């Protein structure tokens, strides 16, 4: 799993290829490509 | 005889054809003054016991007779919010002081549906020129003896569709000074944005049905009807289902602490079909004296309940019918004057800027042959 940071979001990649989710640092929500989301507090 | 002659003169618009334009705005808010509905000043939030109702109904309609019925071009926006007292109390506590003074429990139940759009409406019946559901003209409350019926449909292109459902419990503990939540939410909005969202239809559609049936004798009329019975459609509308629970720690069977997210749910885009906020009305009208007629209405609003109203009409002035109305839940007094080609109705619960309920109706008819 790799992490690619954007301006306000952080993408999660599988095998450096497939994007499986994105984390929004403002809302603290991790959203997967199938639409599921959960809240995280990553301390960022 | 005086009543019959007056009825004929003020109902002249019904005899021929007329192009009619109508502007109608009907707004009410139980918990907040209408001027504060943007939420800028929550200090004025004051819940009523039981369910709290707020609605906004604005409509512009241009109608003309066609093929035995009435065809109308209309634009409307409609929003209805029904919230439990707990919702309003929680928003008032959290939005103003931040925390209540003592322990508190909140029963959360919220239903909101809003849409706006434009389209066509068709109405037919044995009295298609006048709206049986509304006294929006100079016609008498007590109609001619016999059966009266109307049926109609609206087809709208929706520019906006929103709904929100929230159910659950919330509480505040004064000791640790924190809130607890256990809520489930269903939220759909054409302006909602979320990650990995696909393109979707730029507009929705609405198909709404109306029907009225009344039977009148020489001294009284009884009627029943339904309005806005139908569905709201939108292909690919963005929708979110979520749960919010402050119980983020629990223990598994081996006694280990497990953590759960505060918020979890799912985004989706499906072809939604939502029930429109329909109303059912029961009416009774009768003659009080030669120039006086009275009426009672019980209107049932989906998710809320009954909204009773009363009317008193005076037809003693040649060419003008005067109608006073009182809506019980809204505590709103209205006055309507209707002539051969025009109608003006104003209603309010108070004349100050703190009004919670207001209505304005303006209509004008141009006869043509």
């Amino acid at each position: 799993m790799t992490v690619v940071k954007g301006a306000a979001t952080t993408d999660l990649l599988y095998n450096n290829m497939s994007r499986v989710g994105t984390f929004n640092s403002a809302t603290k929500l991790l959203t997967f490509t199938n639409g599921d989301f959960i809240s995280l507090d990553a301390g960022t | 005889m005086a009543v019959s002659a007056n009825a004929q003169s003020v109902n002249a618009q019904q005899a021929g054809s007329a192009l009619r334009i109508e502007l109608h705005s009907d707004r009410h808010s139980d918990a907040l003054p209408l001027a504060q509905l943007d939420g800028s000043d929550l200090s004025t939030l004051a819940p009523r016991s039981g369910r709290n109702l707020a609605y906004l109904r604005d409509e512009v309609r241009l109608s003309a007779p066609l093929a035995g019925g009435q065809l109308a071009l209309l634009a409307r926006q409609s929003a209805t919010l029904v919230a439990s007292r707990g919702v309003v109390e929680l928003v008032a506590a959290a939005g103003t002081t931040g925390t209540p003074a003592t322990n508190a429990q909140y029963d959360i139940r919220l239903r909101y549906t809003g849409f706006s759009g434009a389209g066509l409406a068709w109405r037919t019946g044995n009295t298609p020129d006048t709206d049986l559901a509304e006294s929006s003209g100079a016609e008498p409350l007590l109609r001619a003896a016999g059966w009266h019926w109307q049926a109609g449909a609206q087809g709208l292109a929706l520019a906006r569709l929103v709904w929100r459902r929230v159910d659950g419990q919330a509480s505040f503990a004064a000791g640790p000074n924190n809130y607890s939540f256990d809520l489930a939410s269903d939220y759909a909005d054409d302006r909602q944005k979320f990650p990995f969202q696909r393109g979707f239809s730029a507009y929705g559609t609405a198909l709404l049905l109306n029907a009225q049936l009344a039977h009148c004798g020489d001294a009284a009329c009884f009627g029943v009807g339904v309005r806005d019975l139908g569905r709201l459609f939108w292909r690919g509308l963005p929708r979110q289902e979520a749960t919010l629970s402050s119980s983020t720690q629990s223990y598994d069977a081996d006694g280990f602490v497990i953590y759960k997210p505060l918020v979890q749910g799912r985004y989706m885009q499906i072809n939604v079909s939502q029930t429109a906020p329909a109303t059912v009305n029961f009416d009774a009208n009768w003659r009080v004296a030669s120039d006086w007629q009275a009426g009672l209405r019980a209107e049932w609003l989906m998710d809320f309940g009954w909204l009773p109203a009363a009317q008193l009409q005076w037809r003693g002035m040649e060419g003008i019918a005067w109608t006073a109305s009182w809506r019980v839940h809204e505590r709103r007094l209205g006055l309507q004057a209707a002539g051969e080609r025009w109608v003006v109705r104003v209603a309010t619960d108070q004349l100050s800027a703190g009004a919670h309920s207001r209505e304005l109706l303006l209509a004008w008819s141009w006869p043509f042959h």
Side-chain angles (χ1 to χ4, degrees):
Chain A
M1 189 80 74
T2 55
V3 172
V4 176
K5 283 194 174 183
T9 60
T10 303
D11 286 344
L12 302 182
L13 303 180
Y14 178 72
N15 277 347
N16 280 339
M17 294 174 61
S18 305
R19 184 168 63 166
V20 296
T22 186
F23 175 70
N24 186 307
S25 57
T27 64
K28 300 290 193 285
L29 287 183
L30 171 63
T31 304
F32 296 95
T33 52
N34 68 347
D36 290 343
F37 65 86
I38 59 173
S39 58
L40 299 180
D41 186 358
T44 55
Chain B
M1 289 298 291
V3 171
S4 175
N6 194 41
Q8 289 179 3
S9 65
V10 301
N11 290 342
Q13 64 176 322
Q14 301 179 22
S17 299
L19 184 69
R20 175 184 166 110
I21 185 165
E22 181 177 310
L23 303 154
H24 190 197
S25 176
D26 186 0
R27 303 184 175 201
H28 172 76
S29 171
D30 276 340
L32 264 181
L34 292 177
Q36 304 294 337
L37 279 182
D38 59 356
S40 58
D41 184 8
L42 294 179
S43 64
T44 57
L45 197 58
R48 290 177 66 163
S49 61
R51 285 183 287 263
N52 283 249
L53 173 67
Y55 59 76
L56 178 154
R57 300 162 187 163
D58 296 337
E59 182 176 299
V60 178
R61 180 187 289 251
L62 181 65
S63 59
L66 183 68
Q70 282 276 324
L71 181 68
L73 184 65
L74 78 155
R76 60 180 292 194
Q77 60 177 4
S78 174
T80 305
L81 170 67
V82 180
S84 61
R85 185 188 174 100
V87 171
V88 183
E89 289 177 336
L90 178 60
V91 172
T96 53
T97 62
T99 57
T102 59
N103 293 346
Q105 293 279 339
Y106 306 100
D107 179 45
I108 304 298
R109 188 175 191 275
L110 183 145
R111 299 286 183 271
Y112 173 76
T113 303
F115 65 92
S116 69
L120 295 175
W122 169 256
R123 183 174 70 208
T124 188
N126 59 0
T127 53
D129 294 336
T130 60
D131 189 347
L132 280 180
E134 283 268 352
S135 299
S136 58
E139 64 280 355
L141 298 179
L142 188 64
R143 296 175 185 269
W147 287 97
H148 302 264
W149 68 272
Q150 281 183 358
Q154 291 183 11
L156 304 175
L158 297 179
R160 190 89 174 89
L161 177 59
V162 186
W163 80 74
R164 188 184 287 272
R165 312 278 185 268
V166 182
D167 294 283
Q169 298 289 327
S171 62
F172 175 77
N177 198 39
N178 60 18
Y179 285 97
S180 299
F181 299 91
D182 187 9
L183 304 172
S185 164
D186 179 6
Y187 171 53
D189 188 340
D190 64 283
R191 296 179 184 173
Q192 187 176 189
K193 299 278 189 267
F194 50 75
F196 312 115
Q197 189 177 84
R198 304 183 306 277
F200 59 98
S201 181
Y203 62 91
T205 55
L207 179 59
L208 306 173
L209 304 177
N210 309 302
Q212 298 288 327
L213 180 67
H215 183 265
C216 297
D218 292 332
C221 277
F222 298 95
V224 62
V226 62
R227 307 188 77 176
D228 287 348
L229 179 68
R231 305 289 286 184
L232 311 170
F233 309 93
W234 202 302
R235 290 199 302 135
L237 185 71
R239 183 175 174 182
Q240 177 205 69
E241 292 182 349
T243 59
L244 167 65
S245 175
S246 54
S247 301
T248 55
Q249 290 188 37
S250 64
Y251 300 90
D252 66 9
D254 298 319
F256 291 101
V257 175
I258 56 176
Y259 294 93
K260 296 180 291 184
L262 182 67
V263 179
Q264 60 181 321
R266 186 166 200 181
Y267 294 116
M268 64 191 79
Q269 288 178 261
I270 57 175
N271 297 336
V272 296
S273 173
Q274 176 71 14
T275 302
T279 60
V280 178
N281 57 278
F282 297 90
D283 299 285
N285 301 304
W286 63 95
R287 179 176 294 111
V288 178
S290 61
D291 293 328
W292 295 88
Q293 298 177 11
L296 291 176
R297 160 167 286 194
E299 187 175 289
W300 180 84
L301 178 63
M302 196 174 72
D303 288 329
F304 178 76
W306 294 101
L307 294 169
Q311 294 184 91
L312 185 64
Q313 187 179 75
W314 179 56
R315 306 179 66 79
M317 181 181 291
E318 185 69 25
I320 299 179
W322 295 88
T323 306
S325 61
W326 173 253
R327 292 189 66 90
V328 177
H329 176 83
E330 293 90 334
R331 301 167 187 165
R332 185 173 78 192
L333 180 66
L335 185 62
Q336 174 177 293
E340 182 178 334
R341 299 182 191 175
W342 56 271
V343 182
V344 176
R345 181 198 303 161
V346 293
T348 186
D349 65 323
Q350 52 183 292
L351 296 175
S352 68
H356 286 247
S357 192
R358 283 197 175 135
E359 183 184 16
L360 175 65
L361 171 69
L362 301 172
W364 187 265
S365 297
W366 288 270
F368 61 90
H369 303 281

